[in-house]
Amino acid sequence: MTRFLQDVRFGMRFLIKHPGFLAVTVLTLAIGIGANTAVFSVINSVLLRPLPYAEPDRLVMLRHHIGSLGWSDAPIPPPDVVDYRTRMPSLESVAVTDRTFEQNLTGPGGPEVVRVATVSANFFDVLGIEAARGRTFRAEDGFEGKAKKQAPAVILSHRLWNRRFGAEPGIVGDTVILNGFESRVIGVLPMGFELLLPVNAGVATDIDIWATDPVPYWEFPRSSPSANRRVLARLAPGATLADVRREAETLGEWQRATFDYHRDGDISIMVKPLHEDIVAHVRPALIALFAAVLLVLLIACANTANLLLVQAGAREKEIAIRAAVGGGRRRIVRQFLTEAFLLAAIGGLAGLLLARWAIDLLLAVQPSGLPRLSEVPIDASVLLFTFAATVISALAFGVVPALNASRPDLNSCLKDRGACASNPGQRRLRHGIVIGEVALAMVLLVGAGLLFRSVQSLQAVDLGFEPDGVLTYRVSLPPIRYTEVEDRARALDKIEREIESLPGVKAVGSTQVLPLGGQFWTSPYEVELSAPGASRAGEADYRYVTPGFFEAFGARLLAGRWFEPADELKMRDVVVIDRALATRSWPGEDAIGREIEAETLFGTRQSWKVVGVVDNVISEGPAVEGRETIYFPYSSQGAFFTVTTIVRSEGEPKKLAGPIRKLVAGFDPDLPVSGVRTMESYVADATAAERFTSILIAVFAGIALLLAGIGLYGVVSAIARQRTREIGVMMAFGAGRPQILSRVVRRGLILALVGLLIGSLAAVALTRLLASNVAGIPESDPITYLAVGALLLIVTLLASLVPASRAARTDPIEALRYE
């Protein structure tokens, strides 16, 4: 311990005597360790931290895989839920969540739009969540208790309870008015509770009020578009995921043999752990980010190792004296490692502070769709990771310089002239480190370039509509005041016409589900093909729209016509379909006038006549292959209470927000407007995750480029210093400044070119990996390679020119006195 403390004191004195060296190394390590800590904190929160539910490893999500369409994320009809409960003993309990709706909460405080989710009565029991106030649902709160003629039971989110009701404990047992109807509050959920579901579930998760589904599951046909649910289940004690999957396979075989719906769609049951399903879409991006910051840390360690080698070269005489007076090699290595660990410790502490700032920045710019990022704590796991990164970094950059410095040339170093002979091994080592830095920087820059190209390709995807100049908002018509279909249709039509009369408005239309809005409704359909007796079944997005929707949304009509007001007034059984459905059903033929059999919201199947074909519209995002789409007239399907209205304007759409709110309030004071957003913001959110990843990796690549440039500068400077005498001789014999410049710069370029070659070979493997996991990346991209290579060569020239210029200004007389 005494010797260790002596090494620490000596190391601290050395570092304090060299503040420039200390500042550069600490800053380099802080950047590398801080970036890794920040990204690991996000990975820990999103990928590694268990879900905030009871025994989360026992929670699974069930979905349909529709083999006839190759679609693996289909929702499940309620009768299938009954099958899961009765035929899969490895499942302890099965719960469902329905689509979410926006409803009007009225009463003291004025009208407010809230998001309401309907779930099965056992939903919170499956998650293992208890109420903070009151209780959660019981069986009698669901359809089993509907004969009691009591007001529906609801549970408030903790957020709404605080904001709307001032955290009043007496709210439990009281009633609230939702869409004009009384609902009794039975509980308040705990603070911080959130519904975590995969983004491709098509279900909103920011819920204000929870209600139970009032309709028995067995009352729905298996193919009803109003009956598709998302299913969560808890494994029975002792059951494994393999057990559940075997039972799901057996049940799927029975369903295909028993029901036309399952047989025609070739439907099988997918079972995934809930946590795995939630993070599946972000895992590749976060792993890519982590790989990028690891490369930055490697480059930072390489730079620090080079700086230590420079210092070791300057300390060779000191080391030789210590060796000559009996200092063993182990003692010298220990001293250098102690100094390395001191540097790493200071860099690690600075990196932890930098990580805290970086995490705040990440939270400020986080994209939508990245789960569980409301808080990213620096907890024990993060501190342990930072400690491990610090120790490993110290070993990475400290061991080789320590071993190299422990073998001084005593004969050379102890001569009277006082300088040690140049160490060829050390020089080769420094060159190898810089080559490695350039290679790593090449890989990281190519990765950043490929991701940038991916974002560009996603932004260039044809959306199928024109988002520019479009404003959207949502309203929910209270059922108690707009009971009949005609009432809702007339009210919505009147609001649309009044908005259309506003200055600058070109078109207005509405739909129950907005493309790129995060939710979708799907259901089966069937069409008769041209061949006698032939038919084709499929699953499509159902969208219910008013006549002005297509023009307001900027959809492109390819054949036939859009809906007309008469289609609404006369309740005609007509539909508009997209190009994908028309092409797959009647390739090379005219789809206009054809018949489609589709389910209504009321569970009956009927024929609809195709009157128009529009271009395909991106519904979930440019990276997701869209499903076929069927557009129904708004009033023909019951006229939804909650709709999103699209307003196309000639100028800045945001300027219409105020007039629209005023107009809707004038029409009905209890009809609040919510979700006012431009369509461009939805489009931006659709690529936000990819853009977020590419920007961060570009930042890390820029840091890597800077560190590689610093490393090159250090090596070329050392080369120039070591060759001062040789340069003086050359200049004495008439060599000019251009010759000296080219000679020194050439060394830096040779190192960079070797690094580029090695980095290019590694980048080829990276390109293939990214191309198989990230949309929009080609398997070969010579443009990115050439651009990155040129950038690194430019940095090499800049890093080499400064020491080369200094060497070219050498005074030959002074140079010949060198050493």
Side-chain angles (χ1 to χ4, degrees), residues 54-127:
E55 298 181 274
D57 56 316
R58 291 174 55 197
L59 292 174
V60 295
M61 191 163 188
L62 286 77
R63 305 203 201 196
H64 271 172
H65 173 76
I66 303 179
S68 61
L69 300 176
W71 183 23
S72 299
D73 301 316
I76 293 174
D80 284 38
V81 178
V82 178
D83 294 341
Y84 303 156
R85 289 176 170 174
T86 57
R87 294 175 175 268
M88 296 181 68
S90 292
L91 296 179
E92 179 181 72
S93 52
V94 180
V96 298
T97 177
D98 195 0
R99 303 180 181 96
T100 57
F101 295 92
E102 289 186 333
Q103 297 184 10
N104 299 328
L105 178 63
T106 54
E112 177 183 351
V113 176
V114 293
R115 193 179 294 276
V116 181
T118 55
V119 296
S120 58
N122 67 337
F123 185 78
F124 294 106
D125 294 333
V126 169
L127 293 180

Side-chain angles (χ1 to χ4, degrees), residues 98-104 113-118 178-179 203-204 206-209 213 225-226 229 474-476 512-513 519 521 601 640-643 674:
D98 195 0
R99 303 180 181 96
T100 57
F101 295 92
E102 289 186 333
Q103 297 184 10
N104 299 328
V113 176
V114 293
R115 193 179 294 276
V116 181
T118 55
L178 277 176
N179 272 2
V203 177
D206 52 336
I207 308 302
D208 298 304
I209 296 178
D213 198 331
S226 63
R229 303 306 201 255
R474 295 189 298 272
V475 293
S476 182
Q512 104 287 6
V513 174
Q519 299 186 66
W521 290 36
L601 287 174
F640 282 82
F641 294 97
T642 301
V643 296
S674 66

Side-chain angles (χ1 to χ4, degrees), residues 232-308:
L232 300 175
R234 179 173 289 276
L235 300 186
T240 65
L241 187 63
D243 296 333
V244 178
R245 285 174 171 166
R246 279 194 298 270
E247 292 173 1
E249 185 176 354
T250 301
L251 176 58
E253 292 174 356
W254 175 79
Q255 288 176 329
R256 289 191 295 275
T258 308
F259 305 109
D260 292 341
Y261 172 68
H262 295 77
R263 182 170 51 254
D264 295 342
D266 187 22
I267 293 175
S268 55
I269 305 166
M270 297 176 60
V271 183
K272 291 183 181 179
L274 179 59
H275 185 266
E276 176 185 314
D277 209 5
I278 289 171
V279 303
H281 73 292
V282 298
R283 187 188 301 274
L286 291 180
I287 290 175
L289 277 178
F290 194 52
V293 292
L294 282 178
L295 290 181
V296 170
L297 183 57
L298 282 175
I299 295 173
C301 289
N303 249 6
T304 306
N306 248 335
L307 290 170
L308 287 175

Side-chain angles (χ1 to χ4, degrees), residues 762-777:
V764 169
L766 173 68
T767 302
R768 291 175 179 171
L769 178 65
L770 288 176
S772 61
N773 289 281
V774 181
I777 293 182

Side-chain angles (χ1 to χ4, degrees), residues 666-728:
F667 175 80
D668 186 340
D670 292 330
L671 198 61
V673 170
S674 66
V676 179
R677 292 181 59 181
T678 64
M679 200 64 220
E680 287 180 315
S681 70
Y682 283 104
V683 174
D685 281 354
T687 57
E690 291 83 0
R691 193 167 56 252
F692 176 77
T693 305
S694 66
I695 289 173
L696 284 185
I697 291 183
V699 170
F700 298 143
I703 295 172
L705 183 63
L706 176 63
L707 293 177
I710 293 172
L712 280 163
Y713 171 81
V715 166
V716 175
S717 295
I719 292 172
R721 285 196 304 271
Q722 291 166 0
R723 302 184 66 188
T724 300
R725 185 180 181 87
E726 176 188 338
I727 291 170

Side-chain angles (χ1 to χ4, degrees), residues 20-32:
F21 167 75
L22 176 63
V24 171
T25 51
V26 167
L27 179 60
T28 301
L29 291 172
I31 290 173

Side-chain angles (χ1 to χ4, degrees), residues 14 18 21 306-316 319 336:
F14 170 77
H18 299 82
F21 167 75
N306 248 335
L307 290 170
L308 287 175
L309 285 171
V310 171
Q311 285 297 325
R315 298 168 66 185
E316 278 187 310
I319 297 167
F336 271 82

